[in-house]
Amino acid sequence: MSDEAFEAVVAAVRERVDPEADERERLRAVAEEVIDRAEAAAAALPVETDAVQVGSTARGTWLAGDRDVDVFVRFPPDLPREKLESYGLEVGREVLPDGHEEYAEHPYVVGEFDGFQVDLVPCYRVPDATEIQSAVDRTPFHTRYLDERLDEDLAAEVRAFKQFCKGIGVYGSDLRTRGLSGYLTELLVLAYGGFRETLEAAADWQPPVRLDPADHGRAGFDDPLVVIDPTDPERNVAAVTSATNVARLQHHARAFLADPTVERCVPDDPDPLSAAAVSEHVDRRSTTPVAVRFDAPDLVDDQLYPQLRKSLSGVADELDRRGFDVFRTATWAADGGGDGPDDTSDGDSAGDANPAVLLVELAVAERPRVERHEGPPVHVRQHAEGFYEKYDDEDAYGPFVDGDRYVVERDREFPTARAFLESDALLDVALGVHVEEALADGYDVLVGGEVAELAGEFGVELARYVEPSP
Amino acid sequence: MSDEAFEAVVAAVRERVDPEADERERLRAVAEEVIDRAEAAAAALPVETDAVQVGSTARGTWLAGDRDVDVFVRFPPDLPREKLESYGLEVGREVLPDGHEEYAEHPYVVGEFDGFQVDLVPCYRVPDATEIQSAVDRTPFHTRYLDERLDEDLAAEVRAFKQFCKGIGVYGSDLRTRGLSGYLTELLVLAYGGFRETLEAAADWQPPVRLDPADHGRAGFDDPLVVIDPTDPERNVAAVTSATNVARLQHHARAFLADPTVERCVPDDPDPLSAAAVSEHVDRRSTTPVAVRFDAPDLVDDQLYPQLRKSLSGVADELDRRGFDVFRTATWAADGGGDGPDDTSDGDSAGDANPAVLLVELAVAERPRVERHEGPPVHVRQHAEGFYEKYDDEDAYGPFVDGDRYVVERDREFPTARAFLESDALLDVALGVHVEEALADGYDVLVGGEVAELAGEFGVELARYVEPSP
């Protein structure tokens, strides 16, 4: 790989993501106007406030075309929480009369302003990021920290790295993606000194990787990537980043350094898989996929996906425990609110019920009618005698002695995965509480070729599933 | 359970196994005559010798109808081994002119004498059992030890316990049975004071059980039942007794104490299972038995069975490793020389090739075409890059990233247990060396209902297999 090839590709990527002067100017003007209006509206309140712009558009690290302006109105830290909320909404409604409320840790107003999407969020003006009362209180400290350190050259490096992360599918700290937040990409580029330097470092990472830009971290973290927040020594900015996404970043960093291409920096949504193609893959693999399809509970993605994953583990572990060997798993919910890699916000309103699915691809979906059941060691006399008497009268093979134990071969409760999934026993596994409620309302079980039915709702997800890449 | 019921059953058992006065007298006369002739024959030799009767017939613990007389001719311990062997055979041939040679640790002569089977075995007359030069040298010490301690009452208790062990299938220290030797039954009854006391003790055993009648054991043993040889502190008389047989003894001791019956003291050979009945069980269980049938190598049972078991483990472990879940296993060889629970000798000549079988009952006999293959962690850069490059070009699903590792789903080498068993890969598993040679000469693979073909050769073994009892 030559430096020239790398630089040429980076130049082409920057061509896409560096905002034009015109866009910068319009964004600056909108932010200024929103701040002025917010401060004016807040002036009528009986407390002292100020308004600050935060987020990537405040730090010059936004990607061309992003139209998000975040303005935080800061209130005194001794203001009761309910006052903060009512004052915050009052200011928000005045600045954005056509906006609507959303809810993260507390409610805030979102609305359009001159073609930009503006979030107007109340927070506490705490003296130090370690004294925050709500997660949003931390954001102004992040902006101040980066503002002092990111010049326009480094901001451009951040934009290239962000776009790279988007291209390879690891951008976004929401709990669906579990990738890198915008703030994390900024800290990494700042720590390593540039886009290329970040890739070179990541290519050689030996997780657990620990960075501590402010050299003040004390706590231990059990994550593959640890970046101590320079504004809060107790916080790992990469806490949400999964091991899989760390490994993906390493893989693509190496691949891009070896062969830089613009394509790697562009998200590549595959064509949805057709039902016929799904059937073909099922035949070719000769596994037995089983799917539980149900109405997704009405939750924001950041609540929904942890519940889906927990439920998927519960079902897969129980299938495995019952002898149905699990080959691979996945869980999907149809998009309810547009949460995805492009959206790194903490929350998002859910709409009407959307289909969700727990997919478990099984290597073994049928077991023999009999199962081996080991009893106590024969020498544990009381238990052993109880076991022997119980099964001696039952219609089972045995009891016989194997090693020091009694063993019987009795009828298996569920000889097929379908029988288990269609039974009430499904609701006894460890499920997310809202998923459990949703399943109690009813669900479909699809087995083998029947999963081709999912192509209508989850064609793209199925395409990614059957042709997995790093 | 009343004492009377117990005593009545024991009386009925003793009726069967206590030798009549007539039988005792004939046996005594034969032994005396053999000893006299052996000493006369040995008198011509240029070394000092004596002849002694050993074994259960010497100790009064033989069961009525046993017609084995063991006479050992003892030679000075400094006699070279080849001289011992030639002198021993010389004496043997003179006493038993129509006898034949057999071979344990060294050759000896076996022949009929007045309706009894006489073994005439040469050994060294060592001063102490700890200084033996050959395992047979120990036997006269056992006889002397027991002779001094077993009166006729205790001998009768031993006979009852021996018959009980025969009845429940744990009698015999040969490597096919791995049960209790005659000497071990004698030591147990001596230690506990009687048949009933032995059963009561066994019913409450908490393995590992350790008895040391001479209170001189020093070595540690890793066996479930440890009975230190009173003539040799380094030897566990129960070393060969398997955990399964210890547990069986415990089970039947409890059952007999709770409900004494003569039936439990009588070996119960089931009727051979018909091919049709085998098929019926295969259907009912819905497992997939697979069998490898071959010509048993020409070995005595004490060599053959350890090899069969090792080979069975090798095959079963490899099937399991390849994803074919093992449900239960067995290995059998058709009787070549009558070795069995009735025969506790160390060796036995094999005849012509007999069929042998390694039977593995599988819960899973087919796997999907694809198998998961985990690569190195992505962060182990050199290995990871090598893995990725290798599989990126192959016709496999992936490589993709799961957790910190690369994973591919590639074609499985053997999608069915049959394909594996019929391939040369079978010979690569850990097999007994003679079994490996036998398999190299050819073998049949039977799958599922095809194992019904085994009913012709192994009908009784199959009957025990499908209706297992303790």
Side-chain angles (χ1 to χ4, degrees):
Chain A
M1 186 265 319
S2 72
D3 283 2
E4 282 153 47
F6 186 88
E7 292 308 329
V9 170
V10 171
V13 171
R14 289 189 54 174
E15 189 70 25
R16 301 170 69 117
V17 299
D18 285 351
E20 305 276 343
D22 169 53
E23 179 178 342
R24 289 171 190 267
E25 176 46 33
R26 282 177 46 226
L27 192 136
R28 194 200 55 73
V30 164
E32 200 167 291
E33 178 72 19
V34 169
I35 288 172
D36 286 351
R37 292 194 184 197
E39 288 186 336
L45 298 171
V47 290
E48 203 178 326
T49 63
D50 67 353
V52 290
Q53 188 189 359
V54 299
S56 62
T57 44
R59 311 199 281 253
T61 57
W62 84 97
L63 304 189
D66 276 6
R67 313 197 77 74
D68 292 319
V69 174
D70 299 315
V71 172
F72 280 31
V73 181
R74 294 192 291 187
F75 292 87
D78 56 357
L79 187 70
R81 173 72 70 124
E82 60 272 27
K83 286 277 181 200
L84 175 102
E85 296 188 359
S86 64
Y87 290 165
L89 291 174
E90 210 175 309
V91 173
R93 287 197 206 98
E94 200 164 324
V95 177
L96 301 164
D98 299 326
H100 64 275
E101 280 176 38
E102 292 204 358
Y103 195 94
E105 266 197 50
H106 46 241
Y108 61 101
V109 176
V110 176
E112 210 193 285
F113 193 101
D114 273 359
F116 289 82
Q117 179 185 298
V118 176
D119 288 10
L120 211 82
V121 180
C123 73
Y124 287 110
R125 182 185 193 118
V126 291
D128 189 283
T130 58
E131 292 170 48
I132 59 165
Q133 298 181 41
S134 154
V136 293
D137 302 345
R138 196 185 278 121
T139 310
F141 290 94
H142 293 167
T143 294
R144 191 165 71 192
Y145 180 85
L146 291 167
D147 223 24
E148 290 166 1
R149 288 164 178 82
L150 281 181
D151 58 16
E152 169 50 25
D153 282 351
L154 273 178
E157 299 285 307
V158 168
R159 287 193 296 270
F161 182 52
K162 269 191 189 176
Q163 184 59 34
F164 178 79
C165 289
K166 283 195 174 190
I168 65 172
V170 304
Y171 187 67
S173 61
D174 60 284
L175 296 184
R176 178 176 183 175
T177 309
R178 294 188 294 184
L180 285 68
S181 66
Y183 182 47
L184 179 55
T185 61
E186 293 164 335
L187 290 178
L188 288 174
V189 170
L190 196 58
Y192 292 119
F195 171 42
R196 180 171 184 151
E197 291 80 359
T198 302
L199 294 186
E200 284 169 346
D204 277 328
W205 276 347
Q206 300 287 333
V209 174
R210 186 181 169 101
L211 286 92
D212 186 0
D215 197 20
H216 64 170
R218 293 179 302 266
F221 294 95
D222 193 24
D223 304 306
L225 177 60
V226 177
V227 180
I228 307 292
D229 191 336
T231 75
D232 183 349
E234 305 288 339
R235 179 171 179 262
N236 173 19
V237 180
V240 83
T241 311
S242 68
T244 299
N245 280 331
V246 171
R248 276 190 187 127
L249 175 59
Q250 295 198 263
H251 167 83
H252 287 287
R254 290 174 197 156
F256 187 80
L257 288 168
D259 178 20
T261 62
V262 174
E263 290 66 42
R264 199 174 292 271
C265 300
V266 180
D268 181 24
D269 275 346
D271 291 336
L273 213 61
S274 69
V278 173
S279 301
E280 211 175 280
H281 276 287
V282 171
D283 287 350
R284 192 191 303 166
R285 294 164 72 79
S286 69
T287 52
T288 306
V290 297
V292 173
R293 182 172 50 182
F294 57 103
D295 285 343
D298 184 14
L299 300 171
V300 297
D301 279 5
D302 268 3
Q303 293 178 289
L304 177 60
Y305 276 84
Q307 290 222 4
L308 289 176
R309 287 198 194 97
K310 181 186 176 185
S311 305
L312 180 66
S313 290
V315 173
D317 289 353
E318 185 64 13
L319 282 167
D320 194 71
R321 210 185 60 74
R322 289 179 179 274
F324 306 110
D325 291 2
V326 173
F327 197 74
R328 189 135 60 91
T329 65
T331 179
W332 309 309
D335 265 343
D339 220 352
D342 284 351
D343 183 339
T344 63
S345 69
D346 283 333
D348 158 30
S349 359
D352 287 337
N354 293 297
V357 66
L358 307 174
L359 177 72
V360 182
E361 186 177 7
L362 295 170
V364 174
E366 292 186 28
R367 301 289 301 184
R369 194 161 311 147
V370 285
E371 68 176 357
R372 180 183 171 95
H373 177 52
E374 294 209 345
V378 173
H379 64 80
V380 182
R381 185 163 180 172
Q382 207 181 335
H383 281 112
E385 286 180 339
F387 181 90
Y388 186 82
E389 276 158 30
K390 173 172 181 204
Y391 284 102
D392 193 31
D393 294 335
E394 258 188 41
D395 184 21
Y397 290 92
F400 56 97
V401 175
D402 189 4
D404 66 348
R405 287 179 185 273
Y406 283 127
V407 173
V408 291
E409 292 162 0
R410 63 181 181 190
D411 280 355
R412 175 178 291 277
E413 190 177 8
F414 298 112
T416 66
R418 183 196 290 274
F420 166 70
L421 294 172
E422 288 179 346
S423 79
D424 290 345
L426 178 65
L427 293 176
D428 294 335
V429 312
L431 298 167
V433 59
H434 292 95
V435 170
E436 184 173 342
E437 285 165 12
L439 291 178
D441 284 344
Y443 59 88
D444 297 326
V445 173
L446 309 173
V447 174
E450 294 167 10
V451 300
E453 289 180 32
L454 297 173
E457 296 145 353
F458 299 107
V460 172
E461 288 82 355
L462 282 162
R464 283 205 193 94
Y465 182 87
V466 300
E467 294 293 4
S469 61
Chain B
M1 189 262 321
S2 71
D3 284 2
E4 283 154 49
F6 186 88
E7 293 309 330
V9 169
V10 171
V13 171
R14 289 190 55 174
E15 190 72 24
R16 301 171 67 117
V17 299
D18 285 351
E20 305 277 341
D22 170 52
E23 179 179 340
R24 291 170 189 267
E25 176 48 31
R26 281 179 43 227
L27 191 134
R28 194 201 55 72
V30 165
E32 200 167 292
E33 178 72 18
V34 169
I35 288 171
D36 286 351
R37 293 194 183 198
E39 289 186 335
L45 297 172
V47 290
E48 205 179 325
T49 63
D50 67 353
V52 290
Q53 187 189 359
V54 299
S56 62
T57 43
R59 312 198 281 253
T61 58
W62 83 98
L63 304 189
D66 275 4
R67 314 196 76 74
D68 294 318
V69 174
D70 299 315
V71 172
F72 280 31
V73 182
R74 295 192 290 187
F75 292 87
D78 57 355
L79 188 69
R81 171 74 68 126
E82 60 272 27
K83 287 276 181 201
L84 176 102
E85 297 187 0
S86 64
Y87 290 167
L89 291 174
E90 209 175 312
V91 173
R93 286 197 206 98
E94 199 162 324
V95 177
L96 301 164
D98 299 325
H100 65 275
E101 281 177 39
E102 292 203 358
Y103 195 93
E105 266 194 51
H106 45 242
Y108 61 100
V109 175
V110 176
E112 212 194 283
F113 193 101
D114 272 0
F116 289 82
Q117 179 187 297
V118 176
D119 287 10
L120 212 82
V121 180
C123 73
Y124 286 111
R125 181 183 195 122
V126 291
D128 190 282
T130 59
E131 291 170 48
I132 59 165
Q133 298 182 42
S134 156
V136 292
D137 300 345
R138 195 185 279 120
T139 310
F141 291 94
H142 294 168
T143 295
R144 191 165 71 195
Y145 180 85
L146 291 166
D147 223 24
E148 290 166 0
R149 289 163 177 82
L150 281 181
D151 58 17
E152 170 50 25
D153 283 351
L154 272 180
E157 299 285 305
V158 167
R159 286 193 295 270
F161 182 52
K162 270 191 190 176
Q163 183 60 34
F164 177 79
C165 289
K166 283 194 177 192
I168 65 173
V170 305
Y171 187 66
S173 61
D174 60 284
L175 296 183
R176 178 178 183 172
T177 309
R178 294 188 294 185
L180 285 69
S181 66
Y183 181 47
L184 178 56
T185 60
E186 292 164 336
L187 290 178
L188 288 174
V189 170
L190 195 58
Y192 292 119
F195 172 42
R196 179 172 184 149
E197 291 79 359
T198 301
L199 295 185
E200 284 169 346
D204 277 327
W205 275 348
Q206 300 287 332
V209 173
R210 186 182 169 99
L211 287 93
D212 186 0
D215 196 20
H216 65 170
R218 292 178 303 266
F221 293 95
D222 193 24
D223 304 305
L225 177 59
V226 178
V227 180
I228 307 291
D229 192 335
T231 75
D232 182 351
E234 305 289 338
R235 179 169 179 262
N236 174 17
V237 180
V240 84
T241 312
S242 68
T244 299
N245 279 331
V246 171
R248 276 191 188 126
L249 175 59
Q250 295 198 263
H251 167 84
H252 288 287
R254 290 174 196 156
F256 187 81
L257 288 168
D259 179 21
T261 62
V262 174
E263 289 66 42
R264 201 174 289 273
C265 301
V266 180
D268 181 24
D269 274 345
D271 290 336
L273 213 60
S274 68
V278 173
S279 300
E280 211 175 280
H281 276 287
V282 171
D283 287 350
R284 192 191 301 167
R285 294 164 71 79
S286 69
T287 51
T288 306
V290 297
V292 173
R293 181 172 52 182
F294 57 103
D295 285 343
D298 183 14
L299 300 170
V300 297
D301 279 5
D302 268 2
Q303 291 179 289
L304 177 61
Y305 276 85
Q307 291 222 2
L308 289 176
R309 288 197 194 98
K310 181 185 177 186
S311 305
L312 180 66
S313 290
V315 173
D317 290 352
E318 184 65 12
L319 284 167
D320 194 72
R321 211 185 59 75
R322 291 181 177 272
F324 306 110
D325 291 2
V326 173
F327 197 73
R328 191 137 57 94
T329 64
T331 178
W332 308 310
D335 265 343
D339 221 351
D342 284 353
D343 183 338
T344 61
S345 68
D346 284 332
D348 158 30
S349 356
D352 287 338
N354 292 297
V357 65
L358 307 174
L359 177 71
V360 183
E361 186 177 8
L362 294 170
V364 174
E366 292 186 27
R367 302 287 304 183
R369 195 160 311 148
V370 285
E371 69 175 356
R372 180 183 171 95
H373 177 52
E374 295 210 343
V378 173
H379 64 80
V380 182
R381 186 163 180 173
Q382 208 181 335
H383 281 112
E385 287 180 339
F387 181 88
Y388 186 84
E389 276 157 32
K390 173 172 181 202
Y391 285 103
D392 194 32
D393 294 335
E394 259 189 40
D395 184 22
Y397 290 92
F400 57 96
V401 174
D402 189 4
D404 67 347
R405 287 179 186 273
Y406 284 126
V407 174
V408 290
E409 292 161 0
R410 64 182 179 187
D411 281 355
R412 178 178 290 277
E413 190 177 6
F414 298 112
T416 67
R418 184 196 290 274
F420 165 70
L421 295 172
E422 288 179 346
S423 79
D424 290 344
L426 178 65
L427 293 177
D428 293 337
V429 312
L431 299 167
V433 57
H434 293 95
V435 170
E436 184 174 342
E437 284 165 15
L439 291 178
D441 283 344
Y443 58 90
D444 297 327
V445 173
L446 309 174
V447 174
E450 294 166 10
V451 299
E453 289 179 31
L454 297 173
E457 296 145 353
F458 299 107
V460 172
E461 288 82 355
L462 282 163
R464 285 205 192 94
Y465 183 88
V466 300
E467 295 291 6
S469 62

